[in-house]
Amino acid sequence: MENNALNDRVDPNLRDEMLAELFLDQMMNDFKKSKILEEIDQSLKRKDKEAFLRLTEKLKSVS
């Protein structure tokens, strides 16, 4: 019910813009996480502890 009241007060164009921005932010975060996870896998294969630790910290900051 509250959600409907909010939708009535927000300009539909602004609401759509905000939703698109949220969607793009989420997609970018998902992409970054995916790339970091790939790099973590590679560091494990290489047994590169320093890279693994650095990348896991980086992953925490993206999450």
Side-chain angles (χ1 to χ4, degrees), residues 1 3 5 15 27-29 31 35 39 43-44 46 49 53 55:
M1 189 105 172
N3 195 18
R15 185 185 66 234
M27 293 302 296
M28 287 300 297
N29 278 341
F31 179 77
K35 287 299 183 187
E39 291 180 46
S43 72
L44 289 170
R46 292 189 315 268
K49 184 178 179 179
L53 293 173
L55 290 164

Side-chain angles (χ1 to χ4, degrees), residues 2 6-7 11 14-16 24 31-32 41 52:
E2 266 181 46
L6 180 61
N7 284 337
D11 179 350
L14 179 60
R15 185 185 66 234
D16 290 347
L24 288 173
F31 179 77
K32 288 176 186 177
D41 286 345
F52 173 79

